[in-house]
Every structure is written in structure tokens, then in C-alpha cells.
Amino acid sequence: MIDKYYDDLLNIKTEGEQKGFNASFHYHRYEATPYNALEQLFQQYLISCDDRVVDFGCGKGRLNFYLNNKFDATVVGIEMNEKYYNEAVENKENYLMKKRMSEDKILFYCCLAEDYSIEPSDNRFYFFNPFSIQIFRSIINNILISVEQSKREIEIILYYSSDDYIYFLENQTAFELKQEVILPDVYKQNPNERFLIYRLAY
């Protein structure tokens, strides 16, 4: 019920999950982060209106619209699946009809995640276990190169993260765990039901 409530509130359609599998084993099936999980995360972890949040594997854009509505943050969605990208763009049109604002604060790109060019203003990065560790490594590399060119505070938000992601960040990068947000209703049955926030240490 909560998913329908928020979709109606934001004037978008993001329910459902991918049927079948992607052609490449490097990319995982699409599934939107549950709204009740987002509620619990953003009660404890705040985004500011000055942040620019990039969601890798954004699907139909649920996180993007939720964050823009709640914090007035600029949000960028990266989606390789053309069907989901088109649905995200349609959702943006419907969202903007209800919420009068600059359309520049919500951006969608149809491309492979590793091909997205990190902008100097991108400073928060969201991953709901969207692809293999090889692609994740490549994106983190892109982020670090961007930081060398334009120094800024960087944080990474992982939901339902694979052990490979965690091991890589903690043992092969300068990212440090800043915060863990556990979803108490489901964590006991499934320890993946949590958010991990990593900050780049200088």
C-alpha cells in the first residue's frame, strides 16, 4: 500500500520489478528500493538541497523523485535499459506537472553506468546492488578520478550490498564506513536489509 501511496503522491509509476534477466550477467535485475526502506534511511541520513545525488541503475526513477520531493536535491538517474529510461522520462513529465520547479533538478541518462561521466557537482552516489563488482570498481575509479580533478566531500550509499562491494571499498579504497541503517522489521530474516554509507577519507 505504501508504494501506491507514494507513487500517487508524486504522480509517478514505479511499482513492479523486471521479468526475466538481462543479457549480461554483469547487470542485475531491476527492482526499486521499497518506499518504507527509503523512509527509514532518510529519517537517519540527511541529504541537502545543495547535494547532487547519482543513482546508478535508477530504473523508473523512484529514488530520484523521492529525494527531490523530500530535500529539493538535484538528482541524476543512470539507466541502461531503454524501456525503464523512457518510463523514468515519462514519470518526470508527470511529476513536473504536479510540482512546479526547474526540470534541470531531475536528470536521466540512458547509458551504461561505467560510461557516465562524473560531474564535478556529483557528490552522493546510490547503489542498490545493480551490477557486478567489476563494474562497481570501474565506477568507483571514475569517482576517484573526478575527485582528483575537483576535490569535494563524497559519500556512497549502498542498499542490499554484496560482500564484494564492501570488501573492495574497505580494503582497496580510502572510503570509510560512516553509518549503518538497519531495517529492523526485515533485518533479522535477511542481514542484507540495511544501508551502508561510506565517506571518502582524505
Side-chain angles (χ1 to χ4, degrees), residues 42-58:
F42 293 110
Q43 282 166 6
Q44 299 178 55
Y45 175 73
L46 298 181
I47 297 287
S48 102
C49 61
D50 298 321
D51 288 326
R52 184 168 147 126
V53 184
V54 181
D55 179 7
F56 287 102
C58 71

Side-chain angles (χ1 to χ4, degrees), residues 102-113:
S102 165
E103 63 177 66
D104 294 343
K105 296 210 80 170
I106 302 176
L107 304 164
F108 292 107
Y109 296 99
C110 188
C111 65
L112 296 175

Side-chain angles (χ1 to χ4, degrees), residues 17-178:
E17 58 185 62
Q18 184 174 343
K19 305 282 191 283
F21 294 89
N22 290 317
S24 168
F25 74 89
H26 282 292
Y27 288 88
H28 303 159
R29 292 172 66 179
Y30 162 73
E31 184 180 351
T33 307
Y35 279 114
N36 62 355
L38 294 177
E39 277 185 337
Q40 290 176 72
L41 170 64
F42 293 110
Q43 282 166 6
Q44 299 178 55
Y45 175 73
L46 298 181
I47 297 287
S48 102
C49 61
D50 298 321
D51 288 326
R52 184 168 147 126
V53 184
V54 181
D55 179 7
F56 287 102
C58 71
K60 304 172 187 178
R62 175 180 291 183
L63 176 83
N64 306 75
F65 300 111
Y66 181 90
L67 286 181
N68 177 264
N69 184 67
K70 188 172 179 69
F71 299 110
D72 193 35
T74 299
V75 286
V76 181
I78 311 302
E79 179 53 55
M80 70 159 194
N81 183 306
E82 201 170 332
K83 176 179 180 291
Y84 294 136
Y85 165 77
N86 289 332
E87 289 185 53
V89 170
E90 187 178 334
N91 279 330
K92 176 179 173 177
E93 290 169 6
N94 293 332
Y95 177 78
L96 290 175
M97 280 191 330
K98 191 163 186 177
K99 189 175 169 85
R100 303 282 173 205
M101 52 166 281
S102 165
E103 63 177 66
D104 294 343
K105 296 210 80 170
I106 302 176
L107 304 164
F108 292 107
Y109 296 99
C110 188
C111 65
L112 296 175
E114 61 270 37
D115 291 342
Y116 171 69
S117 180
I118 308 292
E119 295 287 330
S121 51
D122 294 339
N123 68 334
R124 301 287 182 267
F125 301 91
Y126 184 85
F127 300 85
F128 176 4
N129 198 23
F131 31 64
S132 70
I133 183 61
Q134 290 87 349
I135 292 172
F136 184 70
R137 270 200 204 106
S138 173
I139 292 165
I140 297 300
N141 241 7
N142 293 342
I143 293 169
L144 294 175
I145 290 166
S146 169
V147 172
E148 281 176 18
Q149 296 164 350
S150 177
K151 201 161 184 175
R152 60 201 186 274
E153 183 189 89
I154 295 288
E155 291 183 355
I156 288 173
I157 307 159
L158 304 180
Y159 174 54
Y160 218 93
S161 177
S162 74
D163 292 339
D164 287 344
Y165 282 23
I166 296 167
Y167 183 87
F168 170 66
L169 287 177
E170 294 185 354
N171 294 280
Q172 296 175 34
T173 75
F175 282 97
E176 295 176 349
L177 183 64
K178 170 192 170 185

